[in-house]
Amino acid sequence: MPAASYYMQMKSSVQRPKKINPNSLTPLITEKELLTAIPSSISYSTQSYYDFFNHGKSRSPRKVFHWENFIEMVKNHKIDNVIKKYEKPSVPLGHAPITTKEELIQVIDVQIVRPLTSKLNHVDLELCKPTESSLINLINWNVINDYNQIIASLASRTHRVLRTKNEDDVIDAYQQNTGDFADNINEVYDYMCELGLKYSVLTTYEFTWFLKRSDDDPSILLISKCQKIDTIDPTILQSWNYLLYLSKNEPLLTPYPTIIPSNNNINNNLQNNEYFLEYSYENYPYISSSIENFTSSSTGKRPISNDDENFEIKKFRHNYQHHHDNTFSEDLSSPSSSNYFTSYGIMNWDNIIIKNEIGINFYLAEYNGEQLSLKYTDPSDQRKFDLEKESRIYKRLSSIQGVYIPRVKYNDFTLKGEKYVLATEHIKQTSTLSKNHKEEALKAVKAIHSLGIIHNDIRESNFIVGRNNDNDNANDERVFIIDFRLSKDFKEEQRVQLTSYHIYMEKEKEKVEELFNQLPN
C-alpha cells in the first residue's frame, strides 16, 4: 500500500461524534465554569485482574527534555468567564472501582472527553475514537479538525500498565524506564511520527503527561511534569484544553509513515526489490565504515544491488591513497594520515574568508588557502541541531566520501566558540549537468541508499559533475551529491519496515529520473 494511501486510511479511521444540538435545553455555562471543574477520582478493583500490554519496538526520540513552561502557559491562557455558550456536562459523583481498560476509557470519556467536546464543537475540533484494530489499545482518541486532519492524539493506560509514580522526575523515569514509562512514551511518540503530530497526551486518568515534539528538531520530545486529576491551578481540563488549542493553531510536522504489510507482501516486495535480497533490521550494518564489512548475518544480508559486482564504491575507495578508512575520524579532531587529504583538528573563525553564497545558508569559503564548502551558525541558534544532524549523516556515509559525496573537513565549534561549523571539500565543477549523467546520478543515490540514508532533496543544484580539489586527473569526472540538511537517517528512526524504506527509495529514484529526463543532452 503506498504511504499516501496508508496515511489517508489512518486519517479516515475515526468515528466522528454527533454535533451537539444548538437547540438543546441543557443549561449553558461559561468556558471558565466548564474548564475549572474538578473531575472525580477513581479507584481500581482489588479483583485478581491484570492488564497485559505487549510493548512492541517503537521509534524513540533522540533526546527527551522537560517541557518546563507548560504549566505557566496553561495558567496564562485566557478563558472566557462571561458568555454562557457551553453545555453543562452531566458528571456523576462517583464510579465503581475500575477493573478493565474499557471501563477506564468510559470514565475518561465521561469526565474529560465529553466536557471538552462540548467546548470543541464551538471551535471546529472533535475528539474521535480510532477504528483501526491495531490502534485501539495504543491510541484512544484522535483530535480532528474541520479538514478531517488528525492534529493530536490522546492515549490512556491503566495503572497496571503504566506503573510510574507521579512524583518521579519525568526525564529520570524515562531514562530508567521506570514502570515502563519510556515504553509507553515511545509508543505515543511513534504514533506522533506516523502522522506528523506535534502534540499528544498520555494519561492514566489520575496522572497525565503532555507531550510536544520540538519545532526545530522533531526528534526531540518535551514532556510536561505529571499533573494529577485533582489539581486546581490549573485544572486538568484547562491543561487538556490548552494542548488542543495549540494543536489547532500550529501546523503539523512532516509525517514518517511506516507501512506494515502482511508476511506475503513482504516476500513479494523482497523478490521485486532491486536494492535488497534479504533484510533484518537488527542486523542491518548501518554503522560499518567499510563496504567490505557488509557481510551476511544469520538472519539477513546487507543491502545489495542486482549489479553488485560492478558497484564502484570499492573501486573508487582504493584508487587513491586519500580514500583511507580514517578519512572520517570519530570526532574529526585529528587529520587523516593520508598525504592527499587532511581534515582540520580545529578551525579558527578569524582565518575563514566567506566568498559567496552557493545555496541556502551554504557558502564558498577559503581557509588557509584552501577552498571549502561551508555551513555555520551561532552556538545558540537552533540551526546548530540541523548541522549536527547533517554531520551525523556524513559520518554514516563515511565509506563513500570522496566517491559520491564531498569529504568532511571539519564539524565542531571554532577555536573560540564563535560558530558551529560544518566544512566539506569544495567539488570543482568540470561539466554542466545533463541528461547523459542520469545513470551516474542514480549510482550515487544507490550508494547513499545502501547505507540507510534517503537524501530527501533531489534538485539540480544538489548534483555536481566534477572532481575533488586534490584530484588533478582530468578524466576522473564523476557526479557528486551535496547538501544533506533534509536527509533521513533510518538508523535514527529505530523502527523501519522493509517496504517503508523501499517506498522512500523508489520515490527518490523516480525523482532523480524525472529530474534528469528534463535536462538537455
Side-chain angles (χ1 to χ4, degrees), residues 253-435:
L253 301 172
T254 303
Y256 299 103
T258 299
I259 311 304
I260 306 177
S262 67
N263 291 333
N264 290 335
N265 288 339
I266 291 178
N267 293 331
N268 291 335
N269 283 319
L270 281 170
Q271 294 172 3
N272 298 325
N273 188 349
E274 68 174 289
Y275 285 138
F276 292 89
L277 294 182
E278 294 181 26
Y279 179 86
S280 170
Y281 178 73
E282 290 77 6
N283 290 278
Y284 189 86
Y286 287 106
I287 60 175
S288 171
S289 61
S290 170
I291 292 296
E292 289 88 339
N293 291 335
F294 273 52
T295 55
S296 301
S297 68
S298 59
T299 56
K301 294 183 179 180
R302 67 175 177 87
I304 188 170
S305 65
N306 289 339
D307 59 343
D308 190 62
E309 292 181 358
N310 298 320
F311 204 33
E312 299 184 357
I313 293 179
K314 291 182 184 181
K315 169 186 170 183
F316 283 124
R317 285 189 76 241
H318 298 290
N319 272 353
Y320 306 102
Q321 290 181 13
H322 61 254
H323 296 307
H324 190 274
D325 281 347
N326 292 330
T327 297
F328 197 113
S329 59
E330 181 63 24
D331 58 3
L332 293 178
S333 61
S334 60
S336 167
S337 60
S338 165
N339 295 326
Y340 294 87
F341 174 81
T342 57
S343 56
Y344 293 102
I346 192 69
M347 291 188 75
N348 188 338
W349 180 251
D350 295 335
N351 295 341
I352 296 176
I353 302 172
I354 305 296
K355 291 192 171 183
N356 58 278
E357 189 169 11
I358 56 179
I360 301 175
N361 298 316
F362 195 12
Y363 302 89
L364 175 62
E366 185 176 307
Y367 185 71
N368 294 347
E370 181 181 12
Q371 285 193 336
L372 301 173
S373 294
L374 192 74
K375 294 184 179 184
Y376 66 90
T377 185
D378 294 329
S380 59
D381 195 313
Q382 293 293 333
R383 285 183 300 165
K384 181 177 79 72
F385 297 110
D386 296 330
L387 289 188
E388 288 177 330
K389 174 188 173 184
E390 190 168 359
S391 297
R392 293 195 302 274
I393 296 288
Y394 271 105
K395 183 175 181 179
R396 291 283 310 286
L397 298 174
S398 59
S399 60
I400 60 172
Q401 285 186 32
V403 183
Y404 296 119
I405 68 174
R407 293 172 293 193
V408 171
K409 304 287 287 187
Y410 186 79
N411 74 302
D412 210 333
F413 291 102
T414 50
L415 178 63
K416 300 176 184 177
E418 309 99 323
K419 304 290 182 181
Y420 184 89
V421 169
L422 171 60
T424 65
E425 62 178 341
H426 182 67
I427 303 298
K428 300 177 187 175
Q429 182 174 350
T430 54
S431 296
T432 302
L433 196 68
S434 71
K435 186 179 298 184

Side-chain angles (χ1 to χ4, degrees), residues 452-484:
I453 302 295
I454 300 295
H455 184 271
N456 204 37
D457 192 18
I458 299 300
R459 63 176 74 187
E460 185 175 351
S461 60
N462 285 336
F463 291 89
I464 298 177
V465 182
R467 61 180 187 269
N468 309 86
N469 276 340
D470 53 7
N471 184 2
D472 295 325
N473 185 353
N475 295 321
D476 187 22
E477 182 182 77
R478 302 197 297 280
V479 174
F480 290 84
I481 301 180
I482 63 171
D483 197 356
F484 291 86

Side-chain angles (χ1 to χ4, degrees), residues 130-149:
T131 58
E132 185 72 23
S133 59
S134 61
L135 301 177
I136 290 176
N137 287 326
L138 182 65
I139 299 296
N140 302 106
W141 290 271
N142 287 310
V143 184
I144 313 295
N145 63 16
D146 260 6
Y147 299 101
N148 205 35
Q149 288 179 305

